[in-house]
Amino acid sequence: MTTEPDAFVDVTSESELRELIGEPAPYTRDKARTALHALDRAWLARSPLCLIATSAADGSCDVSPKGDPPGFTLVLDDRTLAIPDRPGNKRLDGFRNILANPRVGLIYLLPGRGDTLRINGRARIVREAPFLDEMIVRRNRPKLALVVEIEEVFHHCSKAFLRSHTWDPDSWQPEALPSRARIAQALERPADSLAQLEEHYGPRYAEGLYEAN
């Protein structure tokens, strides 16, 4: 497959985009709101997974998943959310981006549902607040939380999930690719033996999700 620039025809303006794709229906164009509805609150109370998109001052981007028991995102008021941080790999990609550029995009998923809840806004990193006591899971009180001031909130249709069959177990093939241990050995930790990595990513990995590392 060629990657020669001359083989591509780029789109360079919004007018060109509109000529190709057309205009959205009014109910789609105007659906973004600036505050949470009761249905949004209900969605957040049931969602166990959020994808957080951030970008740095230079425009480089990152998307980070955040997962916890359903309802892990606290609704502080109709325009403000708080998301706990848990022990991770300490790269802090998203947090470092937020320090330079506070704008974030969130997608909240509900397993088995193709539609999603999307929230855009401005975030700040909080190291101490009374609500951190409400975020304790397995004795882990988060050291940090992301507080998001909502600018846009809306629900998104399920077409991408329907096309991809994401929630259809008959389409799942988790064994089609090498295990996480094999990927880590090939790309990240070549000095470690496969046995060491399989032990690391084995049952104890799940048991230590809320332990500081």
Side-chain angles (χ1 to χ4, degrees), residues 103-162:
R103 295 197 175 274
V104 297
L106 316 177
I107 296 182
Y108 281 92
L109 290 86
L110 199 63
R113 289 282 294 259
D115 47 332
T116 55
L117 178 66
R118 291 173 59 169
I119 296 174
N120 299 318
R122 300 173 69 89
R124 66 184 192 272
I125 304 166
V126 173
R127 63 181 296 173
E128 191 54 70
F131 61 73
L132 292 177
D133 290 333
E134 300 179 45
M135 295 177 161
I136 296 173
V137 177
R138 296 191 198 174
R139 298 183 297 278
N140 176 271
R141 185 182 189 268
K143 294 180 179 180
L144 301 171
L146 200 64
V147 173
V148 179
E149 297 174 11
I150 297 169
E151 295 178 337
E152 286 188 316
V153 54
F154 57 94
H155 288 259
H156 195 271
C157 73
S158 60
K159 289 179 181 177
F161 286 84
L162 292 172

Side-chain angles (χ1 to χ4, degrees), residues 87-101:
N89 59 18
K90 302 181 182 178
R91 282 179 54 99
L92 304 176
D93 298 293
F95 282 165
R96 288 188 291 112
N97 285 351
I98 287 166
L99 290 174
N101 176 8

